[in-house]
Amino acid sequence: MHGLACLPAALLALLLTGCSPARAYFAEERWSPESPLLAPRVFLALICRNSEHSLPYFLGTIERLNYPKERMALWVATDHNKDNTTAVLRDWLVKMQSLYHYVEWRPKEEPEHYRNEDGPKQWTDLRYEHVMKLRQVALESAREMWADHFMLADCDNLLTNPDVLWKLMKENKTIIAPMLESRAAYSNFWCGMTSQGYYKRTPAYIPIRKQLRRGCFAVPMVHSTFLIDLRKEASRQLAFHPAHPEYSWAFDDIIVFAFSARMADVQMFVCNKETYGYFPVPLRSHNTLQDEVDSFSHSMLEVNVRNPPVMPSKHIRLPKKQPDKLGFDEVFMINLQRRTDRRERMTRALYEQGIACKVIAAVDGKATNISDIHAMGIHMLPGYNDPYHGRPLTKGELGCFLSHYNVWKEIVERRLDTSLVIEDDLRFEIFFKRRLMNLMREVEDEGLDWDLIYIGRKRMQVDHPEKAVPNIHNIVEADYSYWTLGYMMSLQGAEKLLKAEPLKKILPVDEFLPIMFNKHPVSDYMKQFETRDLKAFSAEPLLVYPTHYTGDQGYISDTETSTVWDNDKVRTDWDRARSGKTGEQAEISTEAQNSDVLQSPLDSTARDEL
């Protein structure tokens, strides 16, 4: 150390820099840091049939994958189409092929259907075999190309997580699937399989599906979208077709492949650490292509409830929709002007379903003062207290009532025979438009005398069934109910509500309506409204539900989190754990189920989950 200290500073600096790995004493010894490895080569196989409706959005998610396209090969096959799938795929590939390492295009225009096929949703043995052969050809092509990974994705699976490929690769599994969300309990994995290869319910499924347990889990089956690591030696034994010589289970493409993995001693995994994407619940063999279009559209709406909307490919032109009012004279959508996020989501959801609406600026209760309230002649119903919190009316509830009151006034002023009124914090059930139009058609055909028909509510009377309406599917006589998410209002119904002069004895709107159809449990409230002859009904099952319930992440209540209606100093923030009004529907006992209601075929489709 003393020797170094005696050296001149310039010479010491020279010696020290000469020790640097990037600057050697001799020029030929100099070197730069190593460059990073290239991304693994991915072979993506797409087999599409009658997918014109889903391709713009599905291909949009493929475009947006955070993965170098020059390290990806696309293998695309399509056949047996009744729609414009072939042209959509061809146009997209023409525009995108230069970005990818390799593109193979395998279209087949004829025939439009399989032999002995009753409809486009039926899976015959010929269809199973054809799809299995195509997947096998794609797998062999990937092997011949020395691809590192083989990915299979159905053409209605929305991979909304752009990092999904990197996330799956990081798990280092031979076969791994990203868990996909759906409108129901259905997903792209099984937790149990019977000795004959069929689906088996197990206690493990729901905790994984609901992400109560997070991780990557060994499962007997994954399907729809999954990744195979072709670098793994055991992957050489995997095959989609032909079935393994010892295979004796049902002739089904996903079961045949699961058996192949089992015989190759390859464990399948599903990963639910994050949200990776969404897909529709599969339909039954009797369903139509229109059912499939509506089902996919509903999946898009569900994504947008709590996430940004799925955007279509910028390379595919979407046909412009022609919205209508579902046969109503007007469709009102109530929205607080400061809630632009809700307005944008709802207008998008309505447009996606082809529904035209008039946006009504809601009365912002928080912006009202006592002078405004007195000027409007508003007085609270004597003796009213919130049944859950023992507090008076809030400013939020006042604004909500006035918003609906203004709609009723417009209905009367414009002499609108039938109107639909919806709020901006709801989500639609599958086949919403068709189910609602079918209901109204039957109501009209039967000549039902009605004033109000709920399409979304919280049923508060859960001790006995509500009375079914004869000869009309999916409708009951409404009992005590909360919420004004959505309802149909007739002209005579609006006139009855205004005639009651509710501003002189105001209470929350969802307490006022049951009073008006004589079903409120508090007789003291009802006695203050002499005429209570509103003819009220409800769709059964309901057609809309809240986007969020009390305690949900992102839940905001503009009605309950507020101040007392006539005193800005008294806050009404409530204990969410004890809140009953904004929580989910209480479980209805078997005895109280509305089981005698006539059901339509669309309802059975809507209930399918697994």
Side-chain angles (χ1 to χ4, degrees):
M1 288 297 293
H2 292 291
L4 283 175
C6 297
L7 288 173
L11 180 58
L12 179 61
L14 179 63
L15 289 172
L16 291 175
T17 54
C19 296
S20 170
R23 295 180 62 186
Y25 184 77
F26 298 105
E28 59 270 22
E29 293 178 358
R30 297 175 186 167
W31 59 277
S32 299
E34 291 292 325
S35 61
L37 292 172
L38 292 171
R41 292 163 294 194
V42 175
F43 188 101
L44 176 59
L46 311 178
I47 302 172
C48 308
R49 184 192 182 196
N50 292 322
S51 303
E52 178 184 2
H53 60 283
S54 62
L55 282 173
Y57 301 95
F58 167 72
L59 295 175
T61 65
I62 298 301
E63 289 174 22
R64 292 187 291 272
L65 288 176
N66 182 23
Y67 203 85
K69 291 179 173 57
E70 68 272 12
R71 301 294 289 173
M72 295 179 69
L74 297 181
W75 189 96
V76 184
T78 186
D79 50 59
H80 297 87
N81 294 306
K82 289 181 175 291
D83 65 4
N84 208 29
T85 293
T86 304
V88 173
L89 283 171
R90 183 191 299 113
D91 292 347
W92 183 79
L93 288 171
V94 166
K95 295 170 184 174
M96 297 295 293
Q97 62 181 346
S98 62
L99 302 178
Y100 290 92
H101 170 68
Y102 173 79
V103 172
E104 183 166 343
W105 172 228
R106 299 172 65 100
K108 187 178 179 182
E109 297 288 353
E110 298 290 342
E112 291 186 353
H113 53 81
Y114 292 91
R115 190 171 67 251
N116 300 324
E117 180 184 67
D118 293 332
K121 297 308 299 173
Q122 183 183 16
W123 280 84
T124 64
D125 285 352
L126 279 176
R127 182 176 181 181
Y128 278 126
E129 184 177 25
H130 180 68
V131 170
M132 289 157 60
K133 285 180 177 178
L134 285 176
R135 289 178 176 170
Q136 184 63 28
V137 170
L139 179 59
E140 290 170 359
S141 296
R143 287 168 174 157
E144 291 171 4
M145 195 176 290
W146 296 91
D148 298 309
H149 295 272
F150 174 85
M151 187 174 193
L152 192 68
D154 287 350
C155 296
D156 58 0
N157 292 193
L158 299 170
L159 300 175
T160 54
N161 189 325
D163 296 318
V164 61
L165 278 171
W166 291 113
K167 304 281 187 182
L168 296 181
M169 290 176 185
K170 186 179 179 182
E171 300 299 331
N172 193 28
K173 306 296 185 187
T174 307
I175 303 176
I176 187 166
M179 189 190 79
L180 299 179
E181 306 275 350
S182 78
R183 64 178 172 81
Y186 180 79
S187 189
N188 60 321
F189 71 97
W190 298 358
C191 276
M193 184 182 284
T194 69
S195 58
Q196 291 79 39
Y198 291 109
Y199 177 83
K200 179 181 178 181
R201 291 180 182 268
T202 70
Y205 182 83
I206 292 298
I208 295 175
R209 171 65 184 85
K210 292 188 174 181
Q211 294 178 302
L212 302 175
R213 295 177 62 207
R214 289 180 183 257
C216 289
F217 303 94
V219 292
M221 165 72 77
V222 294
H223 57 84
S224 299
T225 292
F226 54 87
L227 187 72
I228 302 175
D229 191 339
L230 299 180
R231 301 170 301 178
K232 304 280 189 180
E233 185 175 350
S235 72
R236 297 178 180 179
Q237 301 176 55
L238 297 173
F240 294 98
H241 187 272
H244 191 278
E246 297 181 24
Y247 187 81
S248 60
W249 294 346
F251 195 65
D252 182 295
D253 59 328
I254 64 173
I255 303 176
V256 166
F257 184 68
F259 188 87
S260 171
R262 176 182 293 195
M263 299 308 290
D265 202 24
V266 171
Q267 178 64 60
M268 291 179 161
F269 288 85
V270 66
C271 192
N272 73 344
K273 292 181 179 179
E274 300 180 23
T275 297
Y276 300 103
Y278 301 80
F279 71 154
V281 174
L283 301 179
R284 301 297 180 89
S285 59
H286 66 268
N287 286 110
T288 65
L289 284 183
Q290 186 59 51
D291 293 340
E292 187 167 41
V293 171
D294 291 348
S295 177
F296 179 80
S297 175
H298 182 262
S299 298
M300 298 273 295
L301 301 184
E302 289 292 282
V303 173
N304 197 21
V305 167
R306 303 190 183 196
N307 304 277
V310 180
M311 303 306 293
S313 164
K314 58 186 178 183
H315 301 292
I316 299 176
R317 184 185 296 273
L318 294 177
K320 191 170 183 179
K321 297 180 184 291
Q322 300 295 326
D324 59 59
K325 297 179 182 179
L326 304 93
F328 293 99
D329 294 312
E330 190 61 270
V331 176
F332 296 97
M333 193 265 283
I334 299 173
N335 165 256
L336 277 171
Q337 288 185 318
R338 56 185 166 87
R339 291 284 183 205
T340 56
D341 55 334
R342 292 183 176 180
R343 182 165 63 252
E344 289 169 1
R345 185 192 70 82
M346 278 296 293
T347 52
R348 185 181 294 110
L350 291 166
Y351 177 79
E352 180 65 29
Q353 297 174 93
I355 300 173
C357 77
K358 177 179 181 180
V359 179
I360 296 294
V363 176
D364 194 342
K366 293 180 179 180
T368 60
N369 57 48
I370 193 65
S371 300
D372 298 329
I373 294 170
H374 288 161
M376 288 185 279
I378 295 174
H379 300 279
M380 193 168 75
L381 183 78
Y384 173 76
N385 276 300
D386 178 89
Y388 288 98
H389 311 293
R391 54 150 176 79
L393 191 76
T394 71
K395 278 195 169 185
E397 289 170 331
L398 173 62
C400 181
F401 192 108
L402 293 176
S403 301
H404 286 271
Y405 183 83
N406 289 341
V407 171
W408 305 336
K409 285 201 325 183
E410 182 168 338
I411 289 172
V412 173
E413 289 167 1
R414 293 173 56 190
R415 311 305 294 171
L416 304 175
D417 288 331
T418 61
S419 300
L420 177 66
V421 184
I422 55 177
E423 296 180 342
D424 64 0
D425 56 349
L426 59 80
R427 49 168 286 269
F428 297 92
E429 275 289 84
I430 188 172
F431 307 132
F432 168 79
K433 185 174 183 177
R434 279 196 283 164
R435 291 166 74 184
L436 180 56
M437 293 180 73
N438 288 346
L439 173 60
M440 287 308 297
R441 189 178 300 114
E442 289 195 38
V443 164
E444 186 175 341
D445 290 346
E446 283 296 316
L448 181 68
D449 186 14
W450 65 277
D451 296 323
L452 167 76
I453 302 177
Y454 288 103
I455 62 170
R457 60 171 178 154
K458 181 175 181 177
R459 181 179 161 192
M460 299 303 293
Q461 183 286 107
V462 294
D463 296 325
H464 54 266
E466 294 170 306
K467 185 178 178 182
V469 177
N471 304 320
I472 303 179
H473 291 86
N474 313 119
I475 191 168
V476 295
E477 294 182 12
D479 211 316
Y480 181 41
S481 305
Y482 270 166
W483 301 344
T484 48
L485 286 172
Y487 56 87
M488 295 173 266
M489 178 65 68
S490 71
L491 174 59
Q492 68 177 7
E495 289 174 333
K496 289 179 181 180
L497 296 177
L498 296 182
K499 189 176 180 181
E501 299 184 309
L503 300 189
K504 294 181 179 179
K505 38 199 168 181
I506 201 166
L507 71 170
V509 65
D510 56 358
E511 301 276 12
F512 171 64
L513 292 177
I515 289 174
M516 292 303 293
F517 55 83
N518 206 38
K519 292 290 186 179
H520 201 286
V522 182
S523 59
D524 287 345
Y525 296 169
M526 292 210 294
K527 282 189 287 188
Q528 298 185 58
F529 293 89
E530 183 176 350
T531 304
R532 304 185 298 273
D533 60 351
L534 195 74
K535 297 179 177 65
F537 303 88
S538 175
E540 178 70 28
L542 297 171
L543 300 179
V544 297
Y545 291 89
T547 56
H548 298 77
Y549 294 101
T550 303
D552 285 354
Q553 184 176 359
Y555 177 79
I556 298 174
S557 172
D558 289 306
T559 55
E560 300 212 20
T561 307
S562 183
T563 59
V564 171
W565 73 293
D566 59 353
N567 191 339
D568 289 335
K569 295 180 180 180
V570 181
R571 300 288 304 172
T572 59
D573 294 346
W574 77 110
D575 181 355
R576 295 187 178 195
R578 293 175 53 247
S579 178
K581 187 168 187 175
T582 52
E584 290 191 61
Q585 169 72 60
E587 186 172 352
I588 300 174
S589 67
T590 304
E591 295 77 19
Q593 296 283 348
N594 293 330
S595 54
D596 59 345
V597 180
L598 294 174
Q599 298 293 316
S600 69
L602 286 176
D603 298 312
S604 62
T605 301
R607 286 194 301 271
D608 288 342
E609 292 191 2
L610 295 172

